[in-house]
Amino acid sequence: MDNPTAEQGSSDVVESAVDSPAAAPAMKWYIVHTYSGHENKAKLTLLERVRNQGLTEFFGEILVPTESVMEMVKGQRRTTTRKFFPGYMFVQMALDDRTFHLVKNTPKITGFLGGTKPTAVPEREITGVQSNITEGKAKPKARVVFEAGDTVRVVDGPFASQSAVIEDVKADKQKIKVKLSMLGRATSVELDFSQVEKA
């Protein structure tokens, strides 16, 4: 009677070894070319093909890095999404012949960066891309680029509808220092990018 129990125990060990993460193939990140403007469609098609071929264990995340950008359109503030790398996406995968051809033959995908011998992207660079995605969603950036000497029109706040000249640009903080006329005197004021538009 002890033997069936011992056999059951050994089969449990075999099953857990197969299910353990150590048995999963090692995945790395690769950069894949797509048709520009079709990155999201390529991502969805690739995910569908991976499922249909039963290769989900060979694929991890697929990133199409984007950020939120703010722009003024006809005096209205509007937030849209902009891709960091138009025409590219990042695919986490275990690269072998099957997975290589599955990706390469997916509609809207033209191939791997590096051609037939793609090189993996270092993990630290992917971590940087992921933090940029998170930051870009949390704090929308202005689509317009401002430079010292540019003339702008204030569209929001107590100085709305006044014209001003940019003295200094702090792009990392999304702020500008402008000189405008207040009560007949030139005054320097710090404003957010979102509070002005190019004149």
Side-chain angles (χ1 to χ4, degrees):
M1 287 182 74
D2 289 356
N3 287 345
T5 312
E7 284 175 17
Q8 283 177 343
S10 65
S11 70
D12 288 347
V13 171
V14 170
E15 283 174 15
S16 65
V18 170
D19 294 340
S20 74
M27 290 191 219
K28 294 184 177 177
W29 287 95
Y30 297 91
I31 299 174
V32 174
H33 288 284
T34 68
Y35 293 163
S36 191
H38 294 272
E39 299 86 356
N40 291 326
K41 178 74 174 156
K43 176 182 174 178
L44 292 173
T45 305
L46 178 58
L47 287 169
E48 186 181 326
R49 292 191 74 211
V50 166
R51 270 193 306 273
N52 291 344
Q53 296 287 326
L55 296 173
T56 51
E57 70 205 53
F58 294 92
F59 288 84
E61 283 185 82
I62 299 174
L63 295 177
V64 177
T66 59
E67 65 179 343
S68 295
V69 289
M70 204 164 17
E71 58 186 339
M72 297 300 288
V73 179
K74 297 178 183 168
Q76 298 291 314
R77 190 179 303 167
R78 194 172 73 185
T79 303
T80 57
T81 303
R82 181 181 73 86
K83 292 176 180 68
F84 282 128
F85 307 105
Y88 296 96
M89 65 183 184
F90 295 82
V91 180
Q92 186 183 34
M93 61 186 284
L95 188 66
D96 64 18
D97 278 349
R98 282 185 311 164
T99 58
F100 175 85
H101 289 293
L102 178 89
V103 172
K104 191 168 177 350
N105 296 324
T106 298
K108 310 288 186 217
I109 290 178
T110 57
F112 285 87
L113 187 66
T116 55
K117 294 188 179 182
T119 52
V121 178
E123 195 67 40
R124 68 181 180 280
E125 288 186 29
I126 294 298
T127 305
V129 168
Q130 288 170 324
S131 67
N132 283 342
I133 292 170
T134 307
E135 199 176 287
K137 284 181 182 163
K139 288 194 289 183
K141 295 181 179 168
R143 183 180 284 264
V144 181
V145 177
F146 296 106
E147 293 179 11
D150 285 352
T151 302
V152 292
R153 190 170 67 83
V154 183
V155 293
D156 189 29
F159 307 107
S161 77
Q162 285 198 36
S163 288
V165 176
I166 299 175
E167 294 181 312
D168 188 28
V169 179
K170 297 176 185 169
D172 56 330
K173 294 182 179 174
Q174 298 284 296
K175 292 189 177 289
I176 56 172
K177 187 176 178 184
V178 298
K179 187 170 276 191
L180 49 78
S181 177
M182 191 164 66
L183 303 172
R185 300 180 71 179
T187 308
S188 290
V189 179
E190 191 172 82
L191 300 169
D192 289 333
F193 277 13
S194 61
Q195 291 180 279
V196 298
E197 65 181 10
K198 285 200 173 183

